[in-house]
Amino acid sequence: MSALILIVEDEAAIHDLLAYNLEAEGFRTRVVESGEEVHPAIHDEMPDLVLLDWMLPGLSGIEVCRMLRARPETQALPVIMLTARGEEAERVRGLATGADDYIVKPFSVPEVMARIRSLLRRMKPEAVSDTLARGDIILDRVKKRVSRGVRDIVLSPTEFRLLEYLMQSPGRVFSRAQLLDRVWGDTKDIDERTVDVHVGRLRKSLSRGREPEPIRTVRGSGYAFDDRYGKSN
Ligand code: CA
């Protein structure tokens, strides 16, 4: 499951260009064309980074950025502001409202990609790293391999994505509906019990005998990768 970039840009030519190139680099993207759509999009799925145009119809990029910084759940969300204003004073104003970086239009695509990667590496290293490691469990996104201690763990593609998704946000509880949506994608004909079946198989593959259980079942809510896992053992 690769990092999700939320693109907030009203000009189709620009958001298409960004989305196309980001997807070619392995990111997932979501595009909204106004500031008013940002909150619902974030509520739907928390992005790893927001590319935010300054000049938007309705709420401006600056206002959206302020709004993100005011909410505890998005206070630390990486934000890169896109703008046609290259003046130093504007740059300072953009950063003062809480943007983490600032790109002036017209931009070069490789520059945007480099800035996104560098900001993610700095603020959300788990979103761009090739491997995720929690305790003795190591998931290699490039080789699509999982190991626990010295043991290789063989998982189906779905179980791999499920583990990757949970490991990316240790401690965070995901409902069955959220997991279906993000791990399975097309969920029209899939029952939520499918999630239980796959979590069951994943657990069976991960743990043998008395090995500690890394995945928590949160009654009435869903599943989480235990954020305490690997810290005491
Ligand atoms: Ca614009």
Side-chain angles (χ1 to χ4, degrees):
M1 193 73 40
S2 48
L4 175 67
I5 313 293
L6 176 64
I7 303 169
V8 189
E9 166 64 85
D10 55 312
E11 282 169 71
I14 295 179
H15 66 60
D16 286 353
L17 176 75
L18 290 167
Y20 175 83
N21 283 282
L22 283 163
E23 282 168 21
E25 294 236 347
F27 292 102
R28 291 181 303 133
T29 61
R30 168 130 186 211
V31 173
V32 296
E33 296 191 332
S34 72
E36 286 77 2
E37 294 166 87
V38 169
H39 189 61
I42 282 175
H43 183 73
D44 201 28
E45 183 176 359
M46 182 64 74
D48 295 288
L49 183 145
V50 182
L51 272 178
L52 178 60
D53 186 32
W54 181 311
M55 300 294 278
L56 292 166
L59 277 178
S60 74
I62 293 272
E63 286 166 310
V64 173
C65 194
R66 278 205 196 102
M67 183 186 90
L68 292 173
R69 290 303 178 242
R71 292 173 184 267
E73 67 275 21
T74 52
Q75 214 160 34
L77 184 60
V79 174
I80 298 180
M81 200 85 138
L82 291 175
T83 180
R85 306 176 193 218
E87 310 275 326
E88 190 61 21
E90 297 291 354
R91 195 184 118 80
V92 169
R93 200 175 140 218
L95 294 174
T97 47
D100 299 291
D101 201 356
Y102 186 99
I103 295 172
V104 177
K105 292 180 191 169
F107 50 77
S108 82
V109 168
E111 189 202 352
V112 177
M113 297 298 144
R115 299 271 198 101
I116 289 173
R117 286 200 177 276
S118 118
L119 188 58
L120 284 174
R121 265 196 297 273
R122 182 153 57 89
M123 297 183 67
K124 300 204 80 181
E126 72 286 359
V128 281
S129 65
D130 290 346
T131 58
L132 296 175
R134 311 270 174 220
D136 57 354
I137 298 177
I138 295 170
L139 180 144
D140 188 322
R141 285 175 162 146
V142 180
K143 295 180 186 151
K144 303 277 177 216
R145 280 188 169 157
V146 176
S147 61
R148 182 167 190 174
V150 293
R151 182 160 64 91
D152 281 331
I153 290 168
V154 181
L155 298 177
S156 73
T158 304
E159 284 141 34
F160 183 91
R161 288 200 304 275
L162 182 60
L163 179 63
E164 182 183 9
Y165 197 75
L166 294 171
M167 275 180 91
Q168 251 174 211
S169 306
R172 199 163 151 206
V173 182
F174 295 100
S175 68
R176 289 166 179 81
Q178 284 172 323
L179 291 171
L180 271 182
D181 184 44
R182 287 151 209 189
V183 176
W184 277 261
D186 183 14
T187 54
K188 285 191 296 291
D189 305 318
I190 308 177
D191 194 279
E192 289 193 359
R193 276 169 297 184
T194 304
V195 176
D196 302 327
V197 171
H198 283 268
V199 168
R201 285 191 201 144
L202 177 58
R203 281 182 165 146
K204 219 170 154 191
S205 304
L206 286 175
S207 300
R208 276 186 184 165
R210 289 197 290 187
E211 283 178 309
E213 174 63 68
I215 295 169
R216 287 172 60 214
T217 302
V218 182
R219 279 186 69 180
S221 299
Y223 296 103
F225 193 90
D226 193 344
D227 54 345
R228 283 178 293 192
Y229 179 77
K231 289 189 176 155
S232 56
N233 56 323

